[in-house]
Amino acid sequence: MIEALQKLAPWLVDLPPIPKAILSVLIVVLAAFCLAVLWQPSKKGDAGLSPPTPGSPFSIWAEGRWPKTGDYEIDQTIDRVNRLKAATNPSDSEVISALQPIFQKPIFAHLAEEPNPGMALFIFCKAEQLLTVYAGKISAPSLRGAFGTARQNLISLQDRLAVLYGPGFRRDYHCSNYSSTVHDYLSHLPDRIQDRLVDQDFYSANDRLQNLRSLLKQVGLRLT
């Protein structure tokens, strides 16, 4: 390596031994650092919502004080999960029963059931929030794993719909900051650069949705 550098920079040959050694060490360290950066695993998109941080709206909701959103099925779910606060250790069946209403929404049968992409994003956002919080109250490892897989599917669906709002749209930030109500969420959305998912993008997203639907039925979150 040093010989190659000497060919590229002949003036290195004329340096005294100590400065030449120091420079060589610095070059080796710099090369190692560059390789470490290049080989660092790339981060794939967003892992989803961060755990609730103390004092944030999400942390208050996670304590069983979810606000009404203005959507009927979601608000049914919110009524039920807020009542879970009275139970110190709710059973798995109680948690699943409380979460069921949101997953009965037609969009969880087929993506075309919700023609408004913004509303679809809001539904998937709230579903992700609810699963993020209540997966921690599930005792059965297999159910916790299923909740985690369902959450990843919801993240993927949001990512696919988010492209309709342009590259600057951060669906995770939007979900964290503007999801108290339907109106809050929709009114803060940027203009769409594309009306809807079409062709392969639509079919790919709906395939992911069908995987989610199958999983929801398997664990009892969706009844039909």
Side-chain angles (χ1 to χ4, degrees):
M1 180 178 179
I2 294 175
E3 290 179 0
L5 289 171
Q6 289 175 343
K7 290 179 182 178
L8 290 173
W11 52 268
L12 288 174
V13 179
D14 300 325
L15 285 175
I18 293 178
K20 185 187 295 185
I22 294 173
L23 183 60
S24 299
V25 170
L26 289 174
I27 290 171
V28 170
V29 171
L30 179 61
F33 174 78
C34 292
L35 285 173
V37 171
L38 289 172
W39 282 100
Q40 184 178 11
S42 60
K43 295 181 180 179
K44 184 182 178 183
D46 246 302
L49 296 170
S50 300
T53 55
S56 69
F58 192 18
S59 70
I60 295 172
W61 304 347
E63 294 172 1
R65 290 182 284 170
W66 298 78
K68 294 292 187 69
T69 66
D71 178 271
Y72 179 72
E73 289 89 355
I74 295 177
D75 288 349
Q76 277 191 313
T77 302
I78 284 169
D79 283 337
R80 294 186 184 189
V81 296
N82 283 346
R83 286 197 294 269
L84 286 179
K85 185 181 178 182
T88 306
N89 292 303
S91 67
D92 290 355
S93 61
E94 287 175 323
V95 172
I96 288 172
S97 176
L99 293 172
Q100 282 173 349
I102 186 174
F103 295 107
Q104 311 318 306
K105 293 189 73 65
I107 193 172
F108 287 103
H110 197 283
L111 202 59
E113 292 286 349
E114 178 48 71
N116 182 346
M119 189 63 196
L121 272 170
F122 177 73
I123 295 167
F124 294 147
C125 158
K126 295 309 287 187
E128 182 198 349
Q129 288 179 343
L130 288 160
L131 290 185
T132 298
V133 170
Y134 292 98
K137 300 185 183 299
I138 293 292
S139 59
S142 60
L143 280 177
R144 278 202 310 273
F147 272 45
T149 303
R151 183 170 166 268
Q152 290 302 317
N153 277 300
L154 288 164
I155 291 168
S156 175
L157 286 164
Q158 289 174 82
D159 285 339
R160 292 164 192 261
L161 289 169
V163 301
L164 300 177
Y165 295 88
F169 177 61
R170 287 274 310 278
R171 60 93 191 152
D172 57 326
Y173 178 86
H174 206 81
C175 184
S176 295
N177 290 276
Y178 303 117
S179 60
S180 294
T181 66
V182 174
H183 178 267
D184 191 34
Y185 191 94
L186 297 183
S187 64
H188 283 90
L189 284 172
D191 292 335
R192 291 201 298 270
I193 63 172
Q194 182 181 331
D195 282 342
R196 62 186 184 279
L197 296 178
V198 295
D199 301 330
Q200 187 56 41
D201 289 337
F202 174 83
Y203 296 122
S204 177
N206 200 59
D207 284 346
R208 177 58 64 98
L209 178 63
Q210 296 311 310
N211 292 337
L212 173 61
R213 181 190 183 193
S214 176
L215 182 61
L216 294 174
K217 290 175 68 176
Q218 178 185 331
V219 299
L221 286 169
R222 184 169 174 87
L223 303 177
T224 60

